[in-house]
Amino acid sequence: MTEDPDAARLLHLRGAVLAKGDPLAPPLTLASMFHLPGDPEPGVPGYGRGDNPTWEALEAALAALDGAPALAFPSGMAAISAALFATLRAGDRLLLPSDGYYTPRVLAARFLKALGVRVETRPTARFAVGGFDGFRCVLIETPSNPGLDLVDIATVTGAVRAAGGISVVDNTAMTAFGQRPLDLGADILVASDTKAASGHSDLLLGHVATRDDALLAAMREWRTLSGSIPGPFEAWLLHRSLMTLELRFARMCDSAEALAARLVGHPKLEALSYPGLASHPHHSLARRQMARPGFLMGLTLASAQAAEEFIAACPLIAPATSFGGVHSTAERRARWGDAVPPGFVRLSVGTEPTGALIAAVLAALEG
Ligand code: PLP
């Protein structure tokens, strides 16, 4: 595998700003008030809803990873909300994936529609069909959660821009080590760092990143005015977690690739979806657009009962929603109403030793 130069840069980023005697790891600053005599000054923290040095250390790391200024938010949905509320006005048209993570659709239906935004949806596998004329904002999720269909980011973001719209790419499932949406033309990157970026299933956070100064300023203003700010401790934990992201992501993708290869044609599976497999409908796009095929896969068993029995039988799979943690996790997505077969299991491959994980999954499938 080619080494990602950003992994080494990230680990030594803070070195550039350290004075003699400073801690190598950023301090955790718990503060609502800062010492502020006289007039406020740009760059000097004043009040905790606007500034926090621990957020800044985190945002510097996120910016180095995504290749653009970043802003931290208290969850992935808070980051997505910032991108949508900072860009949309009454009368604008918004396009969402019909089969991506469901909460943005609920948010749009419940709140954006009421403010006069016109909301439309399309399946990820046919996202470009119909073009992008007239859309103010287009949210792309690739791979889609949970179906793992892909969107050609460069083609779609180029078409959205040509039509005068703003493209937002959700990079949650890939992280910067798997996919670089801003290099492929996205205006805004959003991510839930609750998943692989933090990776230890112990916090919620999200972020946005953009190379557009006006969009960055609008999302920062949204954060300060709405109060949708991250907690400093969570920011500190995420900064710490980012230092091992490259290692964790590499193990998770290595294991997922090895496991998928062993599961091809397994008699207990009615379908197996993984972008790294030649049988995946968007495999050639995956090879072009993604540095690695990711750590998520879809396993379709014969029934809901067979799926539950498989999850319960595997000691190295925790039954849990969400994904991207060090522990492998799995769940039947139909239990949340996703449009997938009752026996469809979304498996998030963790950092367990690869051989032990494969042996445990194969044994659990045998029942
Ligand atoms: N985007 C995707 C692709 C997700 O899967 C999720 C959560 O599952 C989110 C965004 C929302 O993230 P959070 O739960 O941190 O708000």
Side-chain angles (χ1 to χ4, degrees):
M1 188 188 125
T2 4
E3 287 187 6
D4 191 321
D6 287 344
R9 205 158 63 82
L10 178 69
L11 288 170
H12 292 279
L13 194 66
R14 227 180 104 71
V17 297
L18 293 182
K20 196 167 180 177
D22 280 349
L24 286 193
L28 167 59
T29 305
L30 294 169
S32 59
M33 291 193 249
F34 297 86
H35 182 62
L36 194 67
D39 288 330
E41 280 174 45
V44 175
Y47 181 55
R49 182 154 36 76
D51 312 280
N52 179 284
T54 311
W55 303 349
E56 278 166 26
L58 170 62
E59 287 165 355
L62 292 168
L65 274 176
D66 285 326
L71 292 170
F73 285 87
S75 68
M77 278 314 300
I80 291 173
S81 298
L84 299 181
F85 280 89
T87 52
L88 291 163
R89 305 280 175 275
D92 284 347
R93 282 169 73 206
L94 165 68
L95 182 61
L96 299 173
S98 57
D99 51 357
Y101 181 54
Y102 68 95
T103 312
R105 287 194 299 283
V106 180
L107 173 78
R110 178 74 184 80
F111 290 101
L112 292 171
K113 269 188 189 166
L115 296 174
V117 173
R118 288 177 291 158
V119 182
E120 293 167 47
T121 63
R122 274 184 203 166
T124 304
R126 296 185 297 285
F127 204 65
V129 176
F132 300 98
D133 283 351
F135 286 105
R136 167 73 179 157
C137 185
V138 175
L139 178 67
I140 298 159
E141 187 180 303
T142 179
S144 59
N145 170 23
L148 304 180
D149 283 326
L150 305 188
V151 172
D152 185 328
I153 298 176
T155 303
V156 169
T157 57
V160 171
R161 181 165 299 181
I166 292 170
S167 58
V168 180
V169 175
D170 186 328
N171 208 33
T172 299
M174 294 314 296
T175 83
F177 289 112
Q179 183 167 274
R180 299 289 166 98
L182 297 173
D183 290 345
L184 297 171
D187 294 305
I188 300 176
L189 174 153
V190 294
S192 166
D193 299 318
T194 310
K195 321 290 181 199
S198 61
H200 291 69
S201 315
D202 52 9
L203 64 86
L204 283 97
L205 271 184
H207 77 276
V208 302
T210 180
R211 294 174 182 161
D212 183 309
D213 291 343
L215 290 175
L216 187 72
M219 292 186 288
R220 186 189 293 281
E221 192 181 10
W222 164 264
R223 180 174 73 173
T224 309
L225 298 180
S226 68
S228 181
I229 53 164
F233 184 50
E234 282 80 0
W236 186 88
L237 279 174
L238 177 57
H239 182 280
R240 188 183 208 263
S241 299
L242 290 181
M243 300 301 121
T244 56
L245 174 57
E246 189 247 0
L247 268 176
R248 289 183 283 109
F249 186 72
R251 164 67 72 84
M252 287 153 72
C253 292
D254 286 348
S255 293
E257 281 192 285
L259 177 61
R262 291 293 297 274
L263 293 178
V264 171
H266 194 288
K268 292 279 172 66
L269 296 181
E270 294 190 343
L272 172 64
S273 171
Y274 181 63
L277 290 174
S279 55
H280 189 280
H282 308 128
H283 179 61
S284 59
L285 173 60
R287 290 179 65 103
R288 252 193 349 267
Q289 166 169 292
M290 294 150 71
R292 302 296 310 270
F295 52 82
L296 288 176
M297 68 181 74
L299 278 56
T300 307
L301 286 91
S303 63
Q305 191 187 339
E308 290 295 350
E309 284 171 4
F310 160 65
I311 296 169
C314 188
L316 296 189
I317 293 180
T321 194
S322 193
F323 55 84
V326 288
H327 327 83
S328 292
T329 53
E331 67 169 337
R332 273 189 320 105
R333 284 303 297 183
R335 68 180 180 163
W336 300 111
D338 283 351
V340 290
F344 176 92
V345 172
R346 184 186 65 198
L347 173 65
S348 174
V349 173
T351 60
E352 297 87 357
T354 308
L357 180 65
I358 292 176
V361 169
L362 291 176
L365 273 179
E366 290 316 320

